Amino acid sequence: MTSIQGIAASSGIAIGKAYQLVSPDLSVEKVKIDNPEKEIDRLKNALELSISELEKIKEHTKKSMGEEHAEIFSAHLLIINDPELINPMKEKISNDKVNAEAALDEVSKMFVEMFQNMDNEYMRERAADIKDVSKRVMAHLLGVTFPNPALIDEEVIVIAHDLTPSDTAQLNRQYVQGFVTDIGGRTSHSAIMARSLEIPAIVGTKEITTTVKQNDMIIVDGIDGKVIINPSDEELDTYHTKQEKFAKQKEEWAKLKDEPTFSNDGEQVELAANIGTPEDVEGVLKNGGEGVGLYRTEFLYMGKNELPSEEEQFKAYKSVLERMDGKPVVVRTLDVGGDKELNYLNMPKELNPFLGFRAIRFCLENEDVFRPQLRALLRASAYGNLKIMFPMIATLEEFRQAKDILLDEKENLVNDNVNVSDDIEVGIMVEIPSTAVMADQFAKEVDFFSIGTNDLIQYTMAADRMNEQVSYLYQPYHPAILRLVNNVIEAAHKEGKWTGMCGEMAGDPIAIPILLGLGLDEFSMSATSILPARTQIRELSKKTISSYKDKILSMGTAEEVVEFIKEKTV
Ligand code: PEP
Ligand code: MG
C-alpha cells in the first residue's frame, strides 16, 4: 500500500473506488493521408460517439440536477449537429488530405476565433461551447477517455488535479463519496463545497493524480488528511473502525442540536452556517445552525450558460428565508472573480485574479448584473429575517455606492407597491486589510461586520489561499490577523453593532477560544462544524479567556499563540 499526506479539507472517512477526473492529453499532430474516405468515416464515428454521449449526459443531468443544468448539453448537441461546422472539416480532409484530428483542430479553432470576435455577447459565449464540444470529439478520435463527471452512477471517490467550483457543482451528490486533489488549501472553494456536501475531502496532496489509477481502491481519511491507496485487509479494518467511531462521535454531538450556544460562564454567542445553495439549508437545520451567516450566492450563477433571472434568484432567496423560518440569514451579494469564473460573462483574463476585478468591484461596474440581484433580495426580504452584505469592500465609497443602489432599488419596489421588509440590516465583509484597519469609520455606517478570514489572511500575509507552496504563511493564529480581528470587533461594539466571522477560521477548534475571548458575536462555519463548536464553547469560560486578550495580542508568532491557547484550554 501507499499513503499520501494532504490537507484535511472535510472530515469523515470514505472508502471506495477512484474515479480520475483528469483532462487527457489532446495534443494533435497534422499528418498527410491518402485515403480521405477513411478519415471522414473516422470523423463521423467520433461525432456519433460524442452525440450519443452528450444525449446520455443531458438525460442524466436532467434527472439528477434538473432541466436547467441540462441546458448546456442541449447547446452542445446543437453545435455538434451543425453542418456549418462539420462540413468544412470534411472538406478539409478531402481537399488538403489531412487527418481528421488536424481538420477538427483547425476548423474548430477558426470558429472559436470567429465567435470570440463577435459583437454580440450571446455569440461570444458560444465560443466556449465549441471548444468543449471539439475536445470531446477529439478525445474519441484519439481514443482517450474524456471525463464525464455528470455521468457517474456508482459510488466513487473523485481524484482531480483541482476542482473548480463549477466542476464541484456538477458532481452528483448521490454517488461522490469523497474527493482528493493535487492542489488547493482548506479555504479553496472546492474544500468549502465538500464540507457543505458533508463528504470527506483532502486537498493539496501534490501527487494524487499521478499516483492513483482509475478504479484503485482508496481510503480518504478526511480527519487526518491521509489517503491510503490499495489498502491491506488490516488497514481496511482499522479504517472501518475509525469510520464507526466518527459516526458515534457525530451522534454525541447531535444531542446539542436544538440547544442555544452558551459558554460555561453563561455568555451567549450565535453559531450560524455558511451555505452555497438553497439545498444546503437542510444540512444547516440538521446540524443545529442558529442562522445562515453567509449565503454564497455566486453558485446560483455557476454551471450554466447565462445569468440567472431576477425571478430565479427571488425563488432561491425566498426558499432559504422561508426554510430558516425567521432565523437570521445573511446573504452576500455576488462575489465572482478570483477562483470563481463565469465563462459567459467574458471577464478579462487577469494576471492576479485575486487582486483584480472581482466581487463588489465587478458589481459596481455592472449594474445590469447587480440591480436584479438586489431586487430579488429585497422582494424576498418579506419572507424572513434577511440581512444583506457586500463582499470585498476596500473603501467607504464602495460601501456607500453599493448601499445607494440598494436603497434606490428599494424605493423603486416600494413605489410599485411591492412588499419589502423595513428592517433589513446592511453590512459588509471585512476581508481586505484596509477595511479592518478602518473599522472604526465603517462601524458608523454599516449595521454589522462579517470577517472573511479566508481572504483577509491571504491579503494580510500576501499568501495565495490556493497555493500550497506558500501555505505555511497562511496563518490564522498569527497576531497580525488577531489584531485586525480584534480591531474590527472593538470598533463594532463601540458603535453598538455586531461582528460575525464567516471565514473558515470561525469553525476552527484552536481559533474558537481565541475568538470567544475577543468578543466575536456570531461564528459562521460549515454546517458540520457547528455541533463540535457548540460542544467546545460549552466548556469554555469567556471571562477567563478574555483576560488573556492583551497577552495574546502582544505575542510575536502564531506558534506562541497556539501553544498558549492549547495549554490554557485543553
Ligand atoms: C472569506 O474570504 O473568508 C469568505 C468567507 O469568502 P470566500 O471564501 O467566499 O472568498
Ligand atoms: Mg472572500
Side-chain angles (χ1 to χ4, degrees), residues 34 44 64 72 84 125 127 134 159 192 230 233 248 252 282 299 309 355 390 397 399 439 464 473 516:
D34 43 34
K44 277 190 195 153
S64 61
I72 186 160
E84 300 232 15
E125 288 159 12
S134 60
I159 303 295
I192 292 169
N230 294 324
D233 289 347
K248 283 218 180 83
E252 268 313 298
E282 203 186 308
F299 293 107
S309 65
L355 298 181
F390 303 121
E397 290 93 329
F399 171 67
D464 185 341
L473 280 170
L516 184 73

Side-chain angles (χ1 to χ4, degrees), residues 187-189 192 274 294 296 298-299 332 335 339-340 354 358 389 391-392 429-431 450-459 465 474 501-505 524:
T187 59
S188 51
H189 285 99
I192 292 169
N274 297 345
L294 165 65
R296 288 185 167 92
E298 45 281 2
F299 293 107
R332 173 174 79 185
D335 181 8
D339 64 337
K340 291 174 284 198
F354 273 105
R358 59 176 290 204
M389 72 175 166
M392 295 288 294
M429 291 202 57
V430 182
E431 39 193 348
S450 184
I451 308 177
T453 46
N454 303 343
D455 280 316
L456 184 64
I457 299 169
Q458 79 165 344
Y459 297 136
R465 66 195 258 193
Y474 201 86
M501 179 180 285
C502 57
E504 291 304 304
M505 182 176 176
S524 190

